[in-house]
Amino acid sequence: MGLMLNIVILWNTVYFQKIIGEMRAEGIHVRDEDFACLSPLKFAHINLHGRYSFALPTEVQGG
């Protein structure tokens, strides 16, 4: 579980930096104080249960 937590933190940190960089490049003002308050410990978007669904919609199954 420790390895998984470290992977999630790394993933979130890298993508936070990417998103903030893109926002600043587009001219959106992002305060450093706000950026400092972000936590890379969010994990709702990560499936920690090992259950995956590969069900395809009917339109895709038929080609």
Side-chain angles (χ1 to χ4, degrees), residues 29-56:
H29 177 68
V30 180
R31 297 179 341 174
D32 289 332
E33 298 84 20
D34 294 335
F35 186 57
C37 292
L38 291 176
S39 172
L41 295 176
K42 304 293 184 188
F43 57 87
H45 60 289
I46 305 293
N47 179 355
L48 298 176
H49 301 291
R51 297 183 192 113
Y52 303 94
S53 174
F54 296 101
L56 295 175

Side-chain angles (χ1 to χ4, degrees), residues 6-20:
N6 289 336
I7 291 169
V8 169
I9 290 172
L10 175 63
W11 175 273
N12 289 343
T13 301
V14 167
Y15 280 92
F16 277 161
Q17 291 174 340
K18 181 179 179 189
I19 291 167
I20 296 297

